[in-house]
Structures are given as C-alpha cells and as structure tokens.
Amino acid sequence: MRLFMNDKRLWVPEDGPGEDRVRPHVLWLPQDQPQVMAYFARIREILGRYPDIITPVADKDIHGTLQKINYEDSEGKRVGEQRLHRAGPALQDALAGQAPIDIEIGPPRASASAAVVDLWPETVLHELHLRIRDGLMAASLTLPAPAEFFWGHATGGYGLKDTDTPELAERSDLLASELGRGLRPGSRIPATISSVWLVLERQDPVANRYTFTRVHEIHLGRNDLELQA
C-alpha cells in the first residue's frame, strides 16, 4: 500500500494557499441509509486493526464521487457556495429524467493506496455520470477531461504510509487478505441513489482525510416545480 496523499495526489503543494485545498464536487452521500452505514462500520472494524498503514473514513465523510468540478467557472471566477447554488437548477433539469437508481456495493478490497468498494451496475452509473456532466456544463461550470468510463466507487480508508519495508509489506498483505474475506457473508449489499449533492470538499493531508460541506441537494427524477410543490 502506498501513501494516498502523496505529492501527485495533493490538490495544492503543502505550502500552497489553503483555499486551494477546497474543491467543488458532486457526491453521492449514503448517510441516510442504515444498511450502508452498517456495512462501512464493518469495514472500519477491520481497518482499525491496521492504524499504522491506513486511516479509516468516518461515518460523516463516507461518499461516492460522481464528478469533480474545477476551481473556476467558465468566466474564470472561483466556484464557492453561491456559485454552486446557482448551478443547482441546471443540474436538477439534467437529472429530472433520471429515476432513482438501485445499486449494489462491494465487495471491499485493498487497492494500491486505499480500501475501496466498487459500485454496480457500471453502465447505469456511467450514464448518471454523463447526465451530471451535461448539467454542470449547462450551468457554465468547467470540468476535468472525462475518463473513458466512469469508475463508481466509495472509499473505506486511505493509505497512511508507504509499506516499503518487509514488515509493513507483510502488514499490507494481511490487511488485503482480511478485507477480502472479512465481510463474508454479506460482502455485497443493496443501496439507492435518489439524490446527489453539490459540495465543497476539503483535502486534509495532515489528517489524511477528505471532508465536505453540503451545499445543494439534487433529487433524481424530479424538477424544480415538483420540489417547490
């Protein structure tokens, strides 16, 4: 396992401005679904046995990233809370024809720098991702270049340090093995994406975590008139 927030992953150098550690995103937030939170609690129990190599994600910080947004909009203005609120109607329109999505989560696994769970089905999530991109661009927000195919996932923990000694490498292997087996039975669970959130997400390299401020909720399959009724 490698340190998650190495220089290549930092949004801004360690001596850079603090405001650049905050970046707008569209997230799926499952905190209102008890079965999802119980699932991540089981993952956290396993990760908690390896505090020397991984930092578990707290309940309030669990999320699935659906789209990153650039710091500045098409007019070169920094995107803050007010700008995200103004983008809300365009994104709501883009998702009005998208019904809530039933998904599956899991199984958990160790990646090179984190403990993750994949989200399924892939094609449905990719289509949601494309709708979100369309809505954000209609709101004159700018986005990173698209990936060939969207990878739906959520993270249970972030690598704390490089496992570059024989002892740490053995610990990393044990973690990967335990994580792969530890949630059986029940290594996949159902969940629903019925809304997404425009947020301001903060990267904290010292605590090795991401936190976020919820700004504007967007409901799938609804438009502004229905929300106001």
Side-chain angles (χ1 to χ4, degrees):
M1 181 169 290
R2 296 193 298 271
L3 172 66
F4 187 79
M5 290 190 190
N6 58 26
D7 290 344
K8 293 181 179 179
R9 293 181 182 269
L10 288 178
W11 294 346
V12 61
E14 290 187 7
D15 58 351
E19 64 178 356
D20 286 350
R21 299 200 189 284
V22 179
R23 183 172 185 169
H25 285 71
V26 178
L27 304 181
W28 170 57
L29 303 180
Q31 280 76 10
D32 62 344
Q33 299 184 55
Q35 80 282 9
V36 177
M37 304 311 293
Y39 184 82
F40 277 95
R42 294 166 65 198
I43 294 175
R44 191 181 307 113
E45 182 180 355
I46 295 172
L47 301 183
R49 301 167 195 160
Y50 299 87
D52 50 332
I53 59 175
I54 196 163
T55 304
V57 175
D59 276 356
K60 62 184 178 61
D61 299 328
I62 293 170
H63 66 277
T65 300
L66 297 172
Q67 180 60 56
K68 299 175 183 178
I69 303 172
N70 292 334
Y71 297 106
E72 296 181 343
D73 63 14
S74 60
E75 297 179 352
K77 296 180 180 178
R78 181 170 286 271
V79 178
E81 288 194 23
Q82 291 185 353
R83 185 66 180 86
L84 288 180
H85 278 302
R86 293 204 307 273
L91 183 55
Q92 188 74 68
D93 285 346
L95 297 180
Q98 172 65 67
I101 299 171
D102 291 327
I103 65 171
E104 283 192 305
I105 300 175
R109 59 183 174 85
S111 72
S113 58
V116 300
V117 294
D118 293 322
L119 307 181
W120 312 90
E122 295 174 313
T123 53
V124 174
L125 288 163
H126 181 69
E127 291 168 3
L128 172 63
H129 168 70
L130 294 179
R131 286 177 183 259
I132 289 171
R133 288 185 64 90
D134 288 345
L136 296 173
M137 289 187 289
S140 298
L141 296 178
T142 64
L143 311 176
E148 183 175 348
F149 198 84
F150 174 69
W151 173 38
H153 71 283
T155 302
Y158 296 109
L160 181 62
K161 65 189 302 182
D162 293 336
T163 53
D164 52 4
T165 68
E167 294 77 16
L168 288 175
E170 182 179 5
R171 292 277 290 162
S172 183
D173 289 344
L174 288 172
L175 167 59
S177 178
E178 190 171 356
L179 191 62
R181 296 176 299 169
L183 266 67
R184 298 180 184 276
S187 62
R188 286 179 86 159
I189 62 162
T192 302
I193 301 178
S194 58
S195 72
V196 301
W197 278 87
L198 287 159
V199 309
L200 291 175
E201 186 169 345
R202 176 177 293 276
Q203 186 184 65
D204 185 344
V206 176
N208 197 43
R209 66 176 184 169
Y210 293 92
T211 61
F212 47 83
T213 301
R214 302 182 187 216
V215 176
H216 194 108
E217 186 176 19
I218 306 296
H219 296 269
L220 274 60
R222 302 174 69 179
N223 57 38
D224 280 341
L225 291 178
E226 291 175 311
L227 293 171
Q228 294 167 10

